[in-house]
């Protein structure tokens, strides 16, 4: 992973604030130099569980949390990192930037990034595993927008088609309910996703259905809150990336997740089963 900011390489010490890690206090090449996969998702407890499950699957001890802050967790199982990113693009962006810097200092190479998450489906059955073919922002452009020094800066959202295709092929072999399509990245959970159950709602049910129908016609199959930042940041860094999210509900039918806890856990495990099988 090669940094695109020369100042990083020449700094005497680079403190990764939200991980609580210093580029000089730990031997980063020894600890992280062999990393080939970074698996990321929202929940810290979920990713501890994933790391523990993967450690059991490959026959290594349960990993300790390598993060030294309370913002994110980092678990390492062999050549795989499991890192949570919180909710929304700003939190994910911080995690990704510091992970890329970490891997740069560790002199890691040929690393794949995969986001595993939950989402709202658009015209797909609950439990469907959506492998993103692209990521759209709130303006329905395949861009991640930043405001830098008062200027709007847009970066294209780039995912690896080969990695996504390999995951789709494996999912079919595993008989997982798989869907390929674009992902809408909303800036919030309620109005930005046209929910009717928020504190505010200044549109009608027909407005909601018209919008979701238009999304479906454009190839959108799910909605979440991180995909544009994930796809654009990994694309700028020149690393391969994919997004695998299970749909917990069909937003054309429901706004609230009403499935049982047991069903939720089973649905939530599907992206992990696919990605961990692919890595193994």
């Amino acid at each position: 992973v090669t940094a695109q900011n020369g100042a990083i390489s020449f700094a005497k010490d680079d403190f990764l604030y939200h991980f609580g890690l210093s580029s000089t206090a730990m031997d980063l090449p020894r600890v992280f130099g062999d990393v080939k996969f970074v698996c990321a998702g929202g929940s810290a407890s979920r990713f501890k569980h994933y790391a523990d499950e993967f450690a059991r699957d490959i026959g290594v001890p349960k990993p300790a949390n390598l993060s030294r802050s309370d913002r994110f967790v980092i678990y390492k199982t062999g050549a795989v990192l499991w890192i949570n990113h919180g909710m929304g693009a700003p939190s994910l962006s911080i995690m990704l930037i510091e992970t890329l810097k970490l891997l740069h200092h560790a002199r890691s190479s040929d690393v794949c990034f995969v986001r595993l998450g939950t989402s709202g489906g658009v015209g797909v059955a609950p439990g469907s595993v959506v492998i993103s073919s692209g990521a759209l922002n709130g303006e329905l452009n395949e861009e991640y927008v930043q405001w830098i020094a008062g200027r709007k800066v847009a970066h294209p959202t780039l995912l690896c088609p080969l990695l996504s295709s390999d995951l789709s092929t494996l999912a079919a072999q595993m008989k997982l309910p798989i869907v390929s399509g674009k992902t809408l990245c909303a800036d919030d959970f309620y109005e930005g996703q046209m929910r009717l159950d928020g504190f505010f709602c200044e549109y009608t049910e027909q407005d909601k259905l018209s919008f979701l129908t238009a999304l479906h016609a454009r190839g959108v199959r799910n909605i979440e809150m991180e995909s544009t930042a994930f796809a654009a940041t990994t694309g700028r860094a020149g690393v391969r990336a994919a997004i695998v999210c299970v749909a917990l509900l069909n937003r054309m039918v429901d706004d609230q997740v009403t499935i049982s806890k047991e069903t939720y856990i089973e649905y939530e495990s599907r992206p992990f089963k696919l990605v961990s099988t692919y890595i193994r």
Side-chain angles (χ1 to χ4, degrees), residues 130-163:
V130 180
I131 298 181
S132 301
S133 59
L136 281 66
N137 63 18
E139 296 178 298
L140 306 188
N141 296 322
E142 294 193 44
E143 298 174 334
Y144 171 52
V145 172
Q146 292 178 285
W147 292 91
I148 302 173
R151 293 187 305 111
K152 181 180 179 180
V153 179
H155 300 288
T157 52
L158 303 171
L159 295 167
C160 178
L162 180 58
L163 177 58

Side-chain angles (χ1 to χ4, degrees), residues 7-16 21-26 28 101 105:
I8 295 174
S9 298
F10 294 111
K12 291 183 179 180
D13 183 42
D14 187 14
F15 184 60
L16 307 178
L21 297 176
S22 162
S23 63
T24 58
M26 181 188 290
L28 298 184
K101 293 210 296 177
H105 292 305

